Amino acid sequence: MRRPGTRTYVALGLVAIVSSALLAASFLGLIPDRAGAQREGQVALAEAVAAGTSALLSGEDPRRVDAVLRFVLKRNPDLESIGLRKADGRLVLDTGGHAQAWAGPTNPAGADRQAVPRAAGFVQVPVFAGTTRWGQLEFRFRPTAADGPAGMLESPWLRLMLLCAALCFVGFHLYLGRVLKSLDPSRAIPGRVRAALDTLTEGLLVIDRQGSIVLVNEALVALLGRSQERLMGTAAARLEWRDAEGRVVQADALPWQRALASGEVQRDGRLQFTDAAGTLRTFVVNCSPVLGGAGRPGGVLVSFEDITVLEANKLELKAAKEEAEAANRAKSEFLANMSHEIRTPMNAILGFTELLKRGYSKGERESTRYLDTIHASGRHLLSLINDILDLSKVEAGRLEVESVACAPHVLVRQAVQALAVKAQEKGIGLAFAMRRPPPAQVLSDPARLRQILLNLLSNAIKFTEKGGVRVVIDYESAGPGARYVIEVHDTGIGVAADKLESLFDPFTQADASITRRFGGTGLGLTISRKFARAMGGDIVASSRPGEGSVFTVSFDPGPPGDAPRLTEAELREGDDPASAPGRPQWRIPAARVLVVDDGAENRELVALVLGEQGLWVDEAENGQVALDKAAAGNYDLVLMDMQMPVLDGYGATRELRRRGFDRPIVALTANAMAGYEKEVQAAGCSAYVTKPVDIDLLLETVAGFLGGTRVAAGDAAGTDTAATPAPDARAPGAPAALPPHAALPPAPVVVAAPVVVPAPVAVPEAMVAPGAVVPRTPQVPDAPMVSRLAGRARMVPVIRSFVARLGERVGAAAQAAATGDAVAVAQFAHWLAGSAGTLGYDAFTEPARRLEHCAQHGDTPGVAAAMGEIRALAARVVAPEMPAEALPA
């Protein structure tokens, strides 16, 4: 409903004042009372007729009274009837139907002595015969006004007041229109200026010191959906303004009120307003105070820029941006998953290649088996690379599978062998068995099947802390079509039933904390299920939280044919344990090397390794000590840890370069993230080697900077015929660029003597189905953990020193974690990540890095999980025996 304008309100107020004046004049008798005059005339007539009647009643002929009364009735139109009533109440004369007209009312008190209006239009007057009261005359006059509200409206003075009010309202309205127009501040603006303001697309508003609107241009009138007349004089705060979140803004929080209060310009405020059409509009509001007397703001000029369309576009752009980022994230996570899938066969290839290089095989049979594993992993790696290069197949859902002769049980055995080291590091069992003998060969896609198996086994090992993982082969030949079935059982963390199916959604894991604790993209199961379905089967899962899970892969093996069934001996073939190592040797010219590290074991180990090469080694426990020693000595090479107390490696390296030290500085760091080489190079480092330190990589790096040559095994002290110069990574007179090998991650962990690479490890008996075939060489899940460097006599003292300190430092770190000392926990984790792996206890590296990350990011559950894993590993660590030559005589 449209509200009246200001002019209407003022006119109504003035009319009310005039009406009140008229009413007061009426009460004071200043206005003639027509109804009162009529009543006085009626009484006078009644008195005159009564006097004449009394005279006639006293005379000789009282019958003439009737004629007189009829005459009076005829001569007075307002008189309806006359009656003469005796003192005893009898009506003796009835003129004009008086009995009926007079029937209702009763006589008022005192009517026997004077003429009194009995009611509206009723008059009674006493008559006398001589001095004796004879009776009374009764007169019924026509009423001057109706009873009730209708009678009030017929009142002359009320009609006069209503007429005056109507005339005054019209007159005042017209008069105020002219007066207010001349007083309108907006009219004070020249017409051409006003026209210019009205042509602006930006809304303009001027308010006075009281916050009332005194000027508004046409653009704002259109935006607000209200007329200028309604807006003029209205308090701007009365309009329902809302903030960017849709909340109603209080009057004192409006930007122009703040401008009035402070006298300062208010810029880029955001307000929302719902116009008359119901559209929610968004404005950018700027307020400039207009200074008045005494420097106080006399008003505010407010501009409104309508950004409703821009806001809508912004929301659409945001949604499009989020979709684009989600798509980009999906691709990145897919590539990350592919990286994980590639590293699995790469680990097997590099690991078994390292075993062969170091001469750890016991004979030709084991060497052949290692080569078979390398060859199979290489073929699998090639198939993965082909998939990545043809990524559009996956995105478009056009997966192609082969149908060639293959032996799934061999693929299972190869997958178990490839992941056996990982299972051994975690101290869990890994085995495979057979329920019903399948054909020795079927028709399927071996590359896809191998990828599925590696994915499921990697997940099972990742999520299993105690117990073990078991792979069961089965063959279902009943029914219309045969099915080859492979089940992967684990005793891991399990998954709730209502979240099982979500495991197969892209980038999804059943619990957000899983990512923090175990990592992973959550894409592997999605791709594996697609592969399985493309092969005519599926992957289904069953699980119980805290008890474990079973992932069942089924696929179409093709027509049964006459292929022989698999025997137990064929299943067990190739299960012999693996053994390993031998290492490259270097001839390095004599030089002085400074080893800077806050870990005593790390310094001792590196000093021992370099000392065996004939180098002169000094040690420093932090960057400040390194600066002092570098100032006092002439070093050919510095090995610098980057995270240390007092002064870290970055600061020490920068200071050394500032002082003019131009020899190579090699960073030793546990950080292997992509792009880290730029950070250490910017600090002045010539190269970097990641922790845990790979000794061969360290020696190659040092030899490259010091001009060393590589010699054949056993020929280090002999002739130079087999010598190969190391890559020269140093540019004379300046810090060298990073050599290519330093940017690569450390060589894969290889288990060295006296610990051997396990064959598939037996799992607890509860996991073995009756009649199942289980590989030989069972492994106890909580087997003692021995350093892979325990076979090197000179390193045994360093390893034993580390083991002696390990329990104390783990206990202190657990106490720090319990009290919330994240800094101490992170320092412990950094020390453990570098020292444990460097000294051959590689199982600590990954949980230590995870612990450091969680401590630095305040992830309390992650700290607790990683700390628990480290304590379990520490309980299994055993120190190697001192070699006989090191014992006192």
Side-chain angles (χ1 to χ4, degrees):
M1 180 179 178
R2 185 175 179 180
R3 291 170 49 193
T6 303
R7 185 168 57 177
T8 301
Y9 283 121
V10 175
L12 288 174
L14 293 175
V15 168
I17 294 174
V18 172
S19 300
S20 299
L22 289 173
L23 186 61
S26 175
F27 286 148
L28 295 174
L30 301 178
I31 298 177
D33 186 2
R34 180 171 175 270
Q38 286 182 336
R39 287 194 296 272
E40 290 178 359
Q42 291 174 358
V43 171
L45 176 62
E47 292 285 356
V49 174
T53 301
S54 296
L56 290 176
L57 291 175
S58 301
E60 299 177 351
D61 190 6
R63 291 176 296 176
R64 295 181 59 190
V65 173
D66 181 57
V68 172
L69 296 180
R70 291 184 181 278
F71 176 78
V72 172
L73 180 64
K74 183 177 180 181
R75 292 296 299 271
N76 291 277
D78 291 337
L79 190 59
E80 292 182 346
S81 67
I82 304 175
L84 179 61
R85 194 181 300 275
K86 292 192 70 173
D88 59 3
R90 287 185 298 111
L91 186 65
V92 295
L93 287 178
D94 184 344
T95 303
H98 182 73
Q100 182 178 358
W102 194 265
T106 59
N107 292 334
D112 56 341
R113 289 189 292 275
Q114 58 184 348
V116 179
R118 188 168 175 268
F122 294 89
V123 178
Q124 58 185 11
V125 182
V127 294
F128 299 86
T131 59
T132 304
R133 180 175 177 172
W134 190 88
Q136 65 184 18
L137 274 174
E138 299 172 351
F139 298 86
R140 174 69 171 98
F141 291 94
R142 184 175 291 107
T144 57
D147 294 333
M152 293 180 63
L153 293 175
E154 293 177 3
S155 173
W157 69 268
L158 182 60
R159 292 180 179 179
L160 174 63
M161 187 172 66
L162 291 177
L163 177 62
C164 290
L167 293 176
C168 288
F169 177 78
V170 174
F172 290 155
H173 203 274
L174 295 175
Y175 174 74
L176 288 172
R178 290 182 174 273
V179 172
L180 293 176
K181 183 179 296 184
S182 64
L183 296 177
D184 185 358
S186 65
R187 301 294 177 181
I189 301 176
R192 62 181 180 276
V193 177
R194 178 63 189 239
L197 295 178
D198 286 340
T199 58
L200 294 176
T201 58
E202 188 177 63
L204 293 177
L205 181 71
V206 177
I207 63 173
D208 59 19
R209 187 175 296 173
Q210 287 71 38
S212 299
I213 298 173
V214 296
L215 175 65
V216 57
N217 72 341
E218 290 296 333
L220 188 58
V221 168
L223 291 175
L224 298 181
R226 302 193 178 196
S227 66
Q228 286 208 27
E229 184 180 22
R230 292 181 61 192
L231 290 172
M232 293 297 298
T234 303
R238 293 183 60 182
L239 302 175
E240 194 170 290
W241 301 103
R242 297 180 178 274
D243 60 17
E245 286 71 36
R247 298 185 298 264
V248 176
V249 181
Q250 300 301 319
D252 57 355
L254 290 167
W256 49 85
Q257 294 298 133
R258 294 198 300 269
L260 280 173
S262 65
E264 297 178 353
V265 176
Q266 305 292 317
R267 293 186 176 87
D268 299 329
R270 293 292 180 96
L271 291 178
Q272 293 183 336
F273 182 82
T274 303
D275 62 17
T279 303
L280 182 64
R281 295 186 176 275
T282 303
F283 301 99
V284 172
V285 183
N286 294 289
C287 306
S288 299
V290 180
L291 297 181
R296 293 180 54 197
V300 180
L301 173 64
V302 188
S303 66
F304 294 83
E305 182 182 358
D306 187 7
I307 58 170
T308 305
V309 176
L310 292 177
E311 286 294 301
N313 292 340
K314 182 179 177 181
L315 293 176
E316 293 178 2
L317 287 174
K318 182 179 179 181
K321 179 175 177 288
E322 289 175 351
E323 291 180 4
E325 288 177 346
N328 186 56
R329 199 161 47 244
K331 289 186 177 181
S332 297
E333 289 174 340
F334 176 81
L335 292 177
N337 181 76
M338 288 296 99
S339 174
H340 168 74
E341 299 294 342
I342 290 172
R343 285 178 181 274
T344 301
M346 281 295 295
N347 190 59
I349 293 172
L350 295 176
F352 282 101
T353 302
E354 189 76 7
L355 292 178
L356 291 174
K357 285 174 58 181
R358 295 175 181 264
Y360 277 19
S361 61
K362 294 182 177 180
E364 183 178 353
R365 182 181 178 187
E366 284 191 359
S367 298
T368 301
R369 187 165 65 83
Y370 294 167
L371 291 173
D372 289 341
T373 302
I374 294 170
H375 183 261
S377 298
R379 291 181 60 87
H380 173 53
L381 180 61
L382 178 61
S383 68
L384 288 177
I385 294 173
N386 289 334
D387 282 343
I388 295 173
L389 295 177
D390 198 10
L391 181 61
S392 60
K393 292 181 180 180
V394 176
E395 293 181 335
R398 293 183 283 107
L399 292 176
E400 299 177 1
V401 296
E402 294 181 323
S403 181
V404 298
C406 63
H409 69 282
V410 175
L411 301 178
V412 171
R413 184 168 61 242
Q414 291 173 348
V416 169
Q417 290 173 346
L419 296 172
V421 173
K422 185 64 176 177
Q424 188 273 336
E425 288 178 354
K426 297 191 69 174
I428 62 175
L430 179 58
F432 65 100
M434 179 172 62
R435 184 174 293 120
R436 285 172 291 192
Q441 278 195 339
V442 298
L443 295 178
S444 188
D445 188 327
R448 306 296 189 192
L449 183 56
R450 182 184 292 107
Q451 186 170 349
I452 293 172
L453 292 171
L454 290 173
N455 193 341
L456 294 181
L457 280 173
S458 296
N459 284 345
I461 294 171
K462 179 194 299 184
F463 298 118
T464 302
E465 301 295 335
K466 296 180 180 180
V469 177
R470 180 169 62 95
V471 184
V472 178
I473 299 172
D474 196 6
Y475 186 74
E476 299 176 355
S477 56
R483 279 287 179 271
Y484 202 114
V485 178
I486 303 173
E487 300 173 357
V488 178
H489 300 249
D490 67 64
T491 57
I493 60 176
V495 182
D498 59 339
K499 296 182 178 180
L500 269 177
E501 197 60 27
S502 66
L503 292 175
F504 297 96
D505 295 336
F507 321 120
T508 301
Q509 289 181 329
D511 187 344
S513 64
I514 297 300
T515 302
R516 296 195 305 267
R517 183 177 176 188
F518 296 101
T521 64
L523 189 59
L525 287 176
T526 304
I527 297 177
S528 295
R529 173 175 271 188
K530 288 182 179 180
F531 288 165
R533 288 178 175 176
M535 294 162 61
D538 201 354
I539 298 180
V540 296
S542 62
S543 183
R544 288 186 179 181
E547 297 183 13
S549 307
V550 179
F551 286 82
T552 303
V553 184
S554 63
F555 61 92
D556 182 2
D562 54 358
R565 294 298 178 96
L566 188 67
T567 65
E568 181 178 341
E570 291 172 329
L571 181 66
R572 290 181 175 178
E573 183 180 346
D575 287 344
D576 294 333
S579 194
R583 61 183 184 277
Q585 298 183 20
W586 296 89
R587 182 179 295 111
I588 303 176
R592 297 183 64 185
V593 178
L594 176 61
V595 179
V596 188
D597 199 307
D598 60 328
E601 296 84 1
N602 290 341
R603 297 197 306 271
E604 188 174 357
L605 174 65
V606 174
L608 180 61
V609 171
L610 299 183
E612 286 186 337
Q613 302 297 319
L615 301 176
W616 180 13
V617 180
D618 277 350
E619 301 179 20
E621 59 269 24
N622 58 58
Q624 186 59 53
V625 176
L627 291 178
D628 296 339
K629 290 197 173 186
N634 184 22
Y635 295 103
D636 299 291
L637 176 71
V638 176
L639 297 176
M640 180 76 72
D641 184 20
M642 304 309 289
Q643 292 187 3
M644 296 178 293
V646 183
L647 180 63
D648 63 16
Y650 297 100
T653 300
R654 292 190 185 98
E655 181 62 19
L656 282 174
R657 294 305 187 195
R658 190 189 67 80
R659 294 180 180 182
F661 185 84
D662 60 355
R663 303 300 176 87
I665 301 177
V666 178
L668 299 177
T669 175
N671 191 336
M673 296 299 293
Y676 185 74
E677 64 275 9
K678 295 181 180 179
E679 295 183 29
V680 298
Q681 191 172 21
C685 293
S686 309
Y688 83 97
V689 175
T690 59
K691 295 180 181 180
V693 175
D694 180 273
I695 294 175
D696 291 335
L697 178 60
L698 175 65
L699 290 175
E700 181 181 352
T701 304
V702 171
F705 282 114
L706 298 180
T709 55
R710 185 171 180 171
V711 297
D715 195 31
T719 65
D720 294 341
T721 56
T724 303
D728 186 2
R730 180 177 57 185
L738 293 174
H741 61 264
L744 296 174
V749 175
V750 179
V751 180
V755 179
V756 297
V757 178
V761 180
V763 297
E765 295 182 0
M767 294 186 62
V768 182
V773 177
V774 182
R776 296 169 292 176
T777 316
Q779 176 93 1
V780 179
D782 294 330
M785 186 189 302
V786 181
S787 169
R788 60 180 165 81
L789 303 178
R792 300 186 180 184
R794 293 192 179 186
M795 294 186 181
V796 169
V798 183
I799 298 172
R800 290 176 62 85
S801 174
F802 167 79
V803 174
R805 298 181 58 196
L806 180 62
E808 176 185 350
R809 299 205 64 168
V810 169
Q815 181 64 29
T819 58
D821 188 351
V823 175
V825 174
Q827 290 175 348
F828 162 76
H830 180 74
W831 167 80
L832 184 63
S835 300
T838 300
L839 295 173
Y841 294 103
D842 304 289
F844 284 100
T845 303
E846 192 276 332
R849 286 177 175 170
R850 186 166 5 107
L851 176 62
E852 182 179 12
H853 175 81
C854 293
Q856 291 172 344
H857 292 79
D859 183 359
T860 303
V863 168
M867 199 66 225
E869 186 175 347
I870 289 172
R871 294 182 72 173
L873 292 172
R876 296 169 45 209
V877 170
V878 294
E881 294 293 333
M882 287 290 291
E885 60 270 21
L887 295 175

